[in-house]
Amino acid sequence: MAEVKLVDVTKIYEGKNKAVDKISLEVKDKEFVVLVGPSGCGKSTTLRMIAGLEEISEGELFIDGKRMNDTPPAQRDIAMVFQNYALYPHMTVFENMAFGLKLRKFSKSEIKERVKHAADILGIENLLDRKPKQLSGGQRQRVALGRAIVRKPKVFLFDEPLSNLDAKLRVQMRTEISKLHHQLGATMVYVTHDQTEAMTMGDRIVVMKDGYVQQIDTPMNLYNNPSNKFVAGFIGSPSMNFIEGNIIDNDGKEFRSMKGGLKIKLNGDWGTKLKTYSVDRLYVGIRPENFSLAELENSQRLTVIAELVEPMGSDANIYFNVDGISFVCKTNVTGLPKTGEIINIYLRPDLLHFFDKEKENAL
């Protein structure tokens, strides 16, 4: 397998519209890296530049140490799996998987061996004689994966391959792709807009917005130490709660919201670190799971009305309002209140996140 290295790679379309702006990234050999972000953030464009399907406007791309800017896609030794499977409808599964090998003049015995090996890995040995129209969405995606596997490429590229599948099948297929990564020991770059896919599949995650990289990190570091407000809000479900306000009183030991006057007492050394933020230029972030229905040590009680309770099976979301500010709490279903009930919700100040209001960077 191989490393993939992007150095200040930029994509500029006509009209000087920058779809990707100076992305630098090193994907290590055998690493699984996920590009994630909202629609239009530049993640698919970045993947297509690696594949050679989009021309690089500025910067350099290296695969296995070789500069690839001007190398045709067919000579980059990559395999790409698309969202729409891109199977030939008139060919059988075997023929679809073997097509690329035939073009490269592999022997019949080698083609048969590679196709059989890939089919065994993916559990589609009994489908080799079928046409794509006879397959389910999940089976078609396995065939598309098999077509990539038989190539034995240096790098696998995935462009939102699970978007067309139903929720249950997406969970199953993301598990299979993760297993495939470990089985093949392959270098993989995967694009998705789904942060759950990113968090469960990636060794590292590249969070993008408006053509820029916001943060590159491991899933848990992204969750625990987001570099800015956008990453904090994008990673996690439900999204992080945000409050705008400033630090007041007692040598900076208390946060007060700009709306409604909600006060949160700070513990540890947060007050000392943040006491300079005495004007309205601060955001506090609270993850929904950092609220609790049970009183915890050093927690702060909020007496609220449960405006909406959403049971989700093993856990539930409780929506509530404090001084005109809307919040969501994620909790287990034990002792779940009813919608409209007055309840106590407890906040742990030691788990707060703080962001500068102007630049929105983490503090």
Side-chain angles (χ1 to χ4, degrees), residues 45-54 61 63 71-74 76 78-80 82 157:
T45 300
T46 301
L47 194 77
R48 289 172 65 83
M49 285 191 288
I50 296 172
L53 302 178
E54 291 279 0
L61 167 70
I63 298 177
T71 303
R76 296 191 181 195
I78 55 95
M80 192 160 180
F82 296 92
L157 306 177

Side-chain angles (χ1 to χ4, degrees), residues 331-345:
T331 183
N332 60 47
V333 293
T334 305
L336 202 62
K338 297 179 180 178
T339 296
E341 187 176 338
I342 297 175
I343 59 172
N344 290 326
I345 284 183

Side-chain angles (χ1 to χ4, degrees), residues 47 80-81 145 156-161 177 188-191:
L47 194 77
M80 192 160 180
V81 180
L145 285 170
F156 286 83
L157 306 177
F158 297 86
D159 191 7
E160 305 213 36
I177 292 174
M188 294 185 172
V189 183
Y190 187 103
V191 161

Side-chain angles (χ1 to χ4, degrees), residues 226-241:
S227 64
N228 58 42
K229 184 172 176 277
F230 173 79
V231 175
F234 190 82
I235 299 296
S237 181
S239 296
M240 184 180 283
N241 301 282

